[in-house]
Amino acid sequence: MATNDSEPDDQELVARFRRGDGAAFDALVRRYQRPIYWLALRYVGNDADAKDVAQRALVQAFCKLRDLRDGGSFRAWVYRTAANLSLNLVRDRKPQAPLADDLAAREPAVEPLIEVETQRRLRQAVTKLPPQQRLVVELRIYEELPFADVADAAECSEDAAKVNFHHAMKRLRAIMNDEEKAK
Amino acid sequence: MTDDELQERLRRLGTRPDADWDAMAAAVRDGYAHATARAIKLRRRRFAASAGGALALAAALVLWLHGHGHRRALPATEAPETFHVFEDLEPGEMLEELTPEQIDRMAKAFNKGA
């Protein structure tokens, strides 16, 4: 990911990291810790678990760096790892309230109650998406990645990523419309 | 709900809270250092195990060779059995031609055959 002209892209940072450059390691951490933490937070719903997932995903990604043929796919690797770790954590959890307190508490208090309720239902609907569709939505909507990069992270073709996104939107719309009708 | 509306709503769900990024970066650095040290230890242990295995194999080979070294061909002190050809000799003359040792050996071979 080239953030701007002055900053080296992932491929260069990965190459430098492989040569033992500690600064490149720090640069990669600084670049990805925020989006990875936010991604994990949306999955796991609380700060402590999200931090843990973000840290583990980054450590695993660095450990695997030597196996990566293409340093540019570091981003795809780290997103995928974070999503998988988050899903595992959520799956292994004891059954609990579907929405964790940390995320619910971050809802703006000024929004009308009905709006808050709709957003809550939407968030719940997202958690019910199949993993592949959810990952595509997360990376496309929140990280604003192009479909080619989404496909890289989701380990599918670009067309498959687009189809997954389309199905996810359709599904979410159906859930929301059904609930609105039921009211 | 339209597609655009839905995507807009989804975007609004994407909170981006701040965190202690320096502490998180330090934790990643520590985690990586720990994982690397563990991997090196594991590699060393595997190497030691494989070196031990190789050493054991080599020792086994040496012992085997040593054991088989004692089963060399018999030394050449004992003369190999040879055919003695008697040409135009009477039985008595045949015996006269033989040494006492050869007669002995023949007697033994005869007895064995019998």
Side-chain angles (χ1 to χ4, degrees), chain A residues 42-71:
Chain A
R42 287 192 298 274
Y43 271 93
V44 300
N46 72 78
D47 175 64
D49 284 343
K51 275 181 184 158
D52 183 49
V53 165
Q55 183 192 330
R56 281 164 55 206
L58 283 163
V59 169
Q60 282 189 21
F62 281 112
C63 289
K64 288 274 177 189
L65 258 187
R66 280 172 182 82
D67 301 335
L68 286 179
R69 277 163 293 178
D70 174 17

Side-chain angles (χ1 to χ4, degrees), chain A residues 43 125-126 128-141 146-173, chain B residues 3 6-7 10:
Chain A
Y43 271 93
V126 170
K128 286 176 185 162
L129 289 174
Q132 188 82 338
Q133 286 182 19
R134 182 168 181 190
L135 182 60
V136 170
V137 168
E138 292 281 348
L139 298 180
R140 181 71 187 154
I141 297 280
F147 273 114
D149 291 4
V150 172
D152 203 10
E155 289 184 303
C156 62
S157 69
E158 195 175 332
D159 284 343
K162 285 177 183 169
V163 169
N164 268 311
F165 185 76
H166 172 74
H167 282 311
M169 289 297 117
K170 204 170 151 187
R171 201 178 187 129
L172 289 174
R173 215 172 33 242
Chain B
D3 237 16
L6 177 63
Q7 289 189 25
L10 282 169

Side-chain angles (χ1 to χ4, degrees), chain B residues 22-97:
Chain B
D22 289 340
M24 198 187 287
V28 171
R29 212 174 299 123
D30 286 352
Y32 178 68
H34 183 73
T36 309
R38 203 176 47 195
I40 289 171
K41 205 184 279 180
L42 203 68
R43 253 199 315 268
R44 277 189 192 147
R45 205 175 296 160
R46 277 192 197 138
F47 174 76
S50 64
L55 211 64
L57 268 178
L61 185 67
V62 166
L63 283 173
W64 185 84
L65 283 174
H66 187 71
H68 282 72
H70 286 300
R71 297 169 75 184
R72 279 186 219 120
L74 289 174
T77 46
E78 257 180 60
E81 300 260 348
T82 52
F83 289 104
H84 196 93
V85 180
F86 301 99
E87 285 173 6
D88 304 326
L89 291 175
E90 291 298 312
E93 288 171 333
M94 286 180 204
L95 288 174
E96 279 168 21
E97 286 284 312

Side-chain angles (χ1 to χ4, degrees), chain A:
Chain A
M1 183 171 79
T3 48
N4 61 44
D5 289 343
S6 62
E7 284 190 38
D9 63 10
D10 282 5
Q11 213 150 3
E12 190 186 329
L13 286 174
V14 166
R16 277 169 44 192
F17 165 73
R18 280 172 169 159
R19 290 196 297 266
D21 183 348
F25 176 93
D26 289 338
L28 283 166
V29 172
R30 272 197 309 276
R31 183 172 291 174
Y32 285 108
Q33 63 178 357
R34 285 175 173 81
I36 292 301
Y37 166 73
W38 291 328
L39 175 81
L41 186 62
R42 287 192 298 274
Y43 271 93
V44 300
N46 72 78
D47 175 64
D49 284 343
K51 275 181 184 158
D52 183 49
V53 165
Q55 183 192 330
R56 281 164 55 206
L58 283 163
V59 169
Q60 282 189 21
F62 281 112
C63 289
K64 288 274 177 189
L65 258 187
R66 280 172 182 82
D67 301 335
L68 286 179
R69 277 163 293 178
D70 174 17
S73 61
F74 177 79
R75 175 171 64 174
W77 176 264
V78 79
Y79 276 129
R80 189 163 60 238
T81 307
N84 287 339
L85 287 173
S86 301
L87 282 174
N88 289 346
L89 196 140
V90 171
R91 198 180 46 219
D92 295 345
R93 251 186 213 158
K94 285 176 187 170
Q96 59 178 35
L99 290 178
D101 293 335
D102 285 21
L103 269 184
R106 292 177 203 280
E107 294 290 353
V110 289
E111 284 197 68
L113 205 58
I114 188 147
E115 183 62 23
V116 173
E117 176 58 20
T118 307
Q119 289 298 90
R120 190 193 66 79
R121 283 192 292 112
L122 182 58
R123 190 186 297 126
Q124 200 147 359
V126 170
T127 64
K128 286 176 185 162
L129 289 174
Q132 188 82 338
Q133 286 182 19
R134 182 168 181 190
L135 182 60
V136 170
V137 168
E138 292 281 348
L139 298 180
R140 181 71 187 154
I141 297 280
Y142 302 113
E143 304 309 323
E144 296 175 348
L145 297 188
F147 273 114
D149 291 4
V150 172
D152 203 10
E155 289 184 303
C156 62
S157 69
E158 195 175 332
D159 284 343
K162 285 177 183 169
V163 169
N164 268 311
F165 185 76
H166 172 74
H167 282 311
M169 289 297 117
K170 204 170 151 187
R171 201 178 187 129
L172 289 174
R173 215 172 33 242
I175 293 172
M176 297 307 284
N177 287 341
D178 284 353
E179 289 193 8
E180 266 172 31
K181 274 182 205 163
K183 271 196 273 179

